[in-house]
Amino acid sequence: NIKRIRAESGATVQTSDTDDPATIHVKGNPESVGAAVKMLWETIDGCCKSSSQGGGQFFVRALVPGNWVSLMKGTGADHLKEVQNNTGAHIEIPARRSEGEKRRVKVEGPDDECVAK
């Protein structure tokens, strides 16, 4: 699936099988990264739906450009709260230390809720 995602998105997608949990790095222009991340989510969602185990914990950490954070949060953090309420996920966005700094966003929650929504 990773080879297909690289080819179709145009993004650089690297995985680390030695990390636990596994780490996936996605780099490229906004369009290619967006396409790759969407395909990765679809792959993860398919794996969770086909798994008979379920009930596990799911988390993603993403390095996000500082100017995207306000778009993610929305006015008064309304969008962030809505996503958390609708998915059961907990989303952590660290405070800004300097202008334009990239921030490591963490999304965490039960896999059957977070991934499906």
Side-chain angles (χ1 to χ4, degrees):
N1 282 331
I2 296 296
K3 287 181 182 178
R4 178 186 61 82
I5 292 169
R6 285 181 192 133
E8 291 180 16
S9 70
T12 300
V13 182
Q14 299 173 324
T15 62
S16 171
D17 295 333
T18 59
D19 294 343
D20 186 23
T23 303
I24 301 172
H25 296 273
V26 181
K27 296 179 184 178
N29 64 48
E31 292 80 21
S32 64
V33 169
V37 169
K38 181 179 179 194
M39 288 185 256
L40 285 166
W41 280 117
E42 290 168 353
T43 301
I44 292 167
D45 187 35
C47 291
C48 289
K49 287 179 180 174
S50 65
S51 170
S52 60
Q53 293 179 330
Q57 195 70 3
F58 178 83
F59 77 91
V60 171
R61 288 187 190 128
L63 195 57
V64 176
N67 59 343
W68 289 14
V69 172
S70 61
L71 298 172
M72 292 172 64
K73 287 183 174 181
T75 306
D78 288 342
H79 186 252
L80 182 65
K81 292 173 190 171
E82 180 183 345
V83 170
Q84 292 182 124
N85 289 336
N86 289 340
T87 65
H90 173 71
I91 302 170
E92 293 178 23
I93 302 174
R96 179 177 64 188
R97 293 188 188 128
S98 64
E99 192 64 35
E101 176 188 43
K102 291 182 179 180
R103 294 196 244 170
R104 201 170 297 276
V105 175
K106 182 178 180 182
V107 180
E108 179 177 27
D111 64 7
D112 54 345
E113 293 292 323
C114 295
V115 177
K117 296 177 182 175

